[in-house]
Amino acid sequence: MELHLFTLWAVIAVAGALVMRAGFVIQHAGLVRSKNSSAMVARHLADFCIAILGYWAIGMALEQSGGRFIWIEPKLLIGWDSNASGMGFMGVSGVLIATAILPGVLAERARFWAGIWPALLMAAIVIPIVRAWTTSTGFLGSMGFFDSIGASTLHFPAALAAAVGAIFVGPRTGKFNRDGSSTAIPGHSVPLAGAGLFVLIFGWILFGAFSIGSPAATIRNLLLAAAAGGLASLILSQVRYYKPDIHLISAGVLGALVAASAGGGALGSLGAVLTGGVAGLIVPLSILILDVTFRLDDPTGGVSIHGVAAVWGAISAPFMVHGTDACSTMGGRFKCLGVNVLGLAIIAVFTVALSVGLWLLLKQMTKLRVPEHDEFDGLDLAEHDIGSYPDFQQNTIKSYHLREV
């Protein structure tokens, strides 16, 4: 059987997406408190299943719109056509990445079943339609919308959906004080979060290398951007807090990867460094602003890392990329910028509208967050009846089961 090059790329992209998903699980498990680590793993497992089945059932049919604004291809409903298997692999890899952002933002207080529906919405409807709009046959793509690896089409809508969910669910108990101050709630394992970061970097390179452009150029640009973003956030941390903060450095690296995903292999090496370096500055500051000023409780910083960085990547890419006909002149670069800004606005309105509608429906049908006493005991015990570290949680387990008697 002949193995087509596109199918091979698609399979490698899925492998990269799965590695990225593993990185998200490891990092998020470390960024939450120990009493919620197993719950985080459970959420990622559930969203993994939901994302694949949702895309299989309807997402693929929506993504293959053939240039129509919103269209369902009947032959792709409830299953991928064998001739489109490569495209199906590429699509499912995207939704696996996008849905991985939601559990971290909603961590430690959202009910398990309430948090699953947004993943289904993203995998089955939002991401496929956004990707259809931005392909060469879509109305945004035909206008010159440029995004190489999915900064605007995967990370940006997922961050917006996560932000809407965080607003509806509300902050963790004790996060914000009456005087307006914010309380830091550190995760239980910095080494675990750090290991997850490096797994993410590896998966990101594997996924991105086989998207658009030269694989070698894409890998080079992602590595340069990640290094520049990490160094910029390290310097920012040293200047602001007089110490290198590990979490800020990690946020800078991931934000730089998101921003560089807009230009991908089309970025020059200097453009990759500039894109990543600026992302390494604005992402940590954005995390602080959303926390202190807007009082958005985001345990993993996902809204800033995947949302704010994606916006920066989309608006900077037209001036950083090389070798693209549409953005080859200064006038063309400004046109590309205008199209990208328009695309971001349309994607934002579409994603937020559907997300708000879903959360309003969920609010009428069920409770969105766990009771305060379950939040105190931890979601591991309250929702899954298991402890991540049972040797160190005997008292908590005992108190939890006594309440059930």
Side-chain angles (χ1 to χ4, degrees):
M1 182 176 66
E2 182 182 3
L3 183 63
H4 296 288
L5 182 60
F6 179 77
T7 303
L8 175 62
W9 284 6
V11 171
I12 294 175
V14 172
L18 290 172
V19 174
M20 287 180 68
R21 190 82 198 208
F24 276 117
V25 174
I26 297 169
Q27 186 193 46
H28 290 175
L31 289 176
V32 299
R33 288 167 288 185
S34 60
K35 62 184 179 180
N36 296 308
S37 294
S38 293
M40 180 57 62
V41 176
R43 274 297 312 277
H44 274 285
L45 284 172
D47 285 3
F48 165 82
C49 300
I50 290 293
I52 294 176
L53 292 174
Y55 186 80
W56 167 77
I58 188 175
M60 181 68 176
L62 283 170
E63 187 170 337
Q64 300 304 305
S65 63
R68 302 172 180 88
F69 184 67
I70 295 179
W71 176 260
I72 296 179
E73 183 59 45
K75 69 177 182 178
L76 295 178
L77 280 173
I78 316 298
W80 299 332
D81 183 87
S82 59
N83 295 326
S85 59
M87 187 63 70
F89 288 145
M90 292 294 289
V92 80
S93 64
V95 299
L96 283 175
I97 294 169
T99 54
I101 299 167
L102 299 168
V105 178
L106 302 177
E108 301 198 307
R109 77 275 199 198
R111 284 183 177 272
F112 178 82
W113 290 107
I116 282 180
W117 292 102
L120 179 61
L121 176 70
M122 296 302 295
I125 299 176
V126 174
I127 298 299
I129 290 177
V130 168
R131 286 167 64 98
W133 289 345
T134 54
T135 58
S136 58
T137 58
F139 80 98
L140 286 174
S142 61
M143 294 170 61
F145 186 88
F146 184 85
D147 190 311
S148 179
I149 312 178
S152 306
T153 58
L154 299 178
H155 300 274
F156 181 60
L160 289 175
V164 172
I167 292 171
F168 271 89
V169 174
R172 290 168 289 178
T173 301
K175 173 61 180 174
F176 299 112
N177 305 311
R178 293 182 179 180
D179 61 0
S181 62
S182 173
T183 301
I185 304 179
H188 82 286
S189 177
V190 174
L192 202 60
L197 170 64
F198 281 99
V199 174
L200 265 169
I201 294 172
F202 175 68
W204 213 302
I205 290 172
L206 195 61
F207 172 76
F210 295 91
S211 54
I212 299 175
S214 164
T218 303
I219 293 173
R220 177 202 66 198
N221 292 341
L222 290 176
L223 287 174
L224 286 173
L231 182 60
S233 58
L234 187 155
I235 294 172
L236 174 66
S237 173
Q238 184 66 44
V239 171
R240 186 176 182 89
Y241 302 110
Y242 307 106
K243 291 181 180 180
D245 186 287
I246 297 173
H247 293 305
L248 290 186
I249 299 170
S250 175
V253 170
L254 289 178
L257 286 169
V258 172
S261 295
L267 290 172
S269 57
L270 179 58
V273 171
L274 291 175
T275 300
V278 174
L281 296 176
I282 63 176
V283 168
L285 292 176
S286 172
I287 291 175
L288 179 65
I289 292 171
L290 288 178
D291 184 86
V292 176
T293 304
F294 292 95
R295 299 171 71 85
L296 180 73
D297 188 11
D298 182 357
T300 60
V303 175
S304 297
I305 291 171
H306 301 278
V308 175
V311 172
W312 160 243
I315 64 176
S316 64
F319 301 97
M320 302 286 187
V321 297
H322 301 282
T324 58
D325 295 335
C327 304
S328 58
T329 65
M330 187 55 66
R333 293 182 187 277
F334 278 103
K335 180 181 178 181
C336 287
L337 172 62
V339 174
N340 275 14
V341 171
L342 174 64
L344 288 173
I346 292 173
I347 293 170
V349 171
F350 175 68
T351 303
V352 171
L354 288 185
S355 297
V356 169
L358 174 64
W359 281 104
L360 286 174
L361 180 63
L362 289 174
K363 189 176 181 180
Q364 296 299 318
M365 296 176 60
T366 185
K367 294 181 179 179
L368 303 182
R369 61 182 297 150
V370 298
E372 187 172 338
H373 55 78
D374 283 345
E375 188 178 348
F376 176 80
D377 280 346
L379 273 61
D380 289 2
L381 298 173
E383 296 214 299
H384 305 284
D385 202 19
I386 190 173
S388 299
Y389 305 97
D391 289 344
F392 303 98
Q393 292 180 321
Q394 294 303 314
N395 292 336
T396 306
I397 292 173
K398 183 178 180 180
S399 67
Y400 172 77
H401 287 288
L402 282 176
R403 196 173 65 244
E404 298 299 315
V405 176

